Amino acid sequence: FSEAGPIVGEPRIMLDSRTGSCKGIAWITFQDKVAFEKAVSWSGCDFNGRCLEIKAGKQFHTGIRPSVQAPGTHTPALCEEVVKKLVAPNPGGIYVDGTFGRGGHTRAMLAAMSPSGSLHAFDMDPEAIAVGKELMQADSRFTIHHAPFSSMKAVLKELGLRPSGVLFDLGISSPQFDDAGRGFRPEADGPLDLRFDQTQGITAWDFLMSAP
């Protein structure tokens, strides 16, 4: 399928737990829409005597949610309190959002900051990074880093920055639960991935299949 275009990570193949053989189902994530559409156009083609059915993977919400909100969105926890305690005392400071997610806290913090302030955010999820890059283009005070928050000290030191305050909203973001292809919700039908960054490492399924 790499002939269709660049692939994100490794293909996730469903294997028989008893024999280790492929069960005839796999999930592939393409880097762009052009590659995805080209691969889907191959549906019905012959491959080693077998007819391949290629279709878009389902992205759906399971109907179970800790709060009432639209699928694909995330409600930032204690947002007003965070801004009041962290940003309000020094609107022109340098702040860090250690877990950007979909940028709920980040946007609220930026709204309370002065033009001289700046905000750096970290995240591992490529989908979160895409949202962060859009925000970077809209607000020059903001910078997104595709890196774990454990790298924060090294990243900020290299930039010569000492933060005025740091926010950690630890846990899984709602959109990661919403996408069945991520594997974070056990009752959803999809590949057992469990990676925050799907461009690196192996899936949880691959790990379990290779573990001694």
Side-chain angles (χ1 to χ4, degrees):
F1 283 91
S2 60
E3 294 178 3
I7 294 174
V8 178
E10 296 293 327
R12 284 89 71 196
I13 302 173
M14 181 178 288
L15 303 176
D16 189 306
S17 59
R18 295 169 298 177
T19 65
S21 301
C22 176
K23 297 182 71 174
I25 300 175
W27 291 266
I28 296 175
T29 302
F30 290 97
Q31 186 171 304
D32 54 54
K33 186 177 181 181
V34 174
F36 160 75
E37 291 179 343
K38 184 174 182 180
V40 172
S41 71
W42 294 342
S43 185
C45 70
D46 180 82
F47 180 75
N48 291 338
R50 302 183 68 176
C51 179
L52 295 184
E53 180 184 5
I54 306 170
K55 58 184 179 180
K58 293 181 179 179
Q59 184 175 21
F60 61 89
H61 180 248
T62 59
I64 302 174
R65 177 180 289 286
S67 62
V68 180
Q69 58 191 32
T73 64
H74 179 76
T75 302
L78 300 173
C79 197
E80 183 178 344
E81 291 81 355
V82 166
V83 172
K84 183 178 180 180
K85 294 292 184 180
L86 194 64
V87 180
N90 181 15
I94 300 170
Y95 295 97
V96 177
D97 184 348
T99 52
F100 178 75
R102 291 302 180 270
H105 285 115
T106 290
R107 288 184 175 85
M109 292 164 69
L110 286 169
M113 291 165 55
S114 70
S116 61
S118 64
L119 197 159
H120 291 255
F122 292 78
D123 210 293
M124 294 290 289
D125 192 328
E127 294 183 9
I129 296 302
V131 175
K133 287 182 177 179
E134 292 180 359
L135 183 56
M136 277 183 64
Q137 294 179 346
D139 195 325
S140 61
R141 299 173 300 168
F142 175 67
T143 303
I144 186 73
H145 301 277
H146 189 178
F149 56 73
S150 60
S151 68
M152 182 187 305
K153 181 178 179 180
V155 170
L156 297 182
K157 182 178 180 180
E158 184 176 343
L159 295 173
L161 300 177
R162 184 178 179 84
S164 308
V166 178
L167 169 67
F168 289 102
D169 181 20
L170 304 178
I172 296 177
S173 184
S174 299
Q176 292 169 331
F177 276 129
D178 293 339
D179 185 350
R182 302 300 295 270
F184 287 112
R185 200 178 277 284
E187 70 272 26
D189 183 19
L192 186 63
D193 195 307
L194 299 183
R195 291 175 297 171
F196 284 108
D197 185 351
Q198 291 183 301
T199 66
Q200 299 184 40
I202 64 172
T203 68
W205 175 263
D206 290 328
F207 171 78
L208 291 173
M209 291 299 99
S210 61

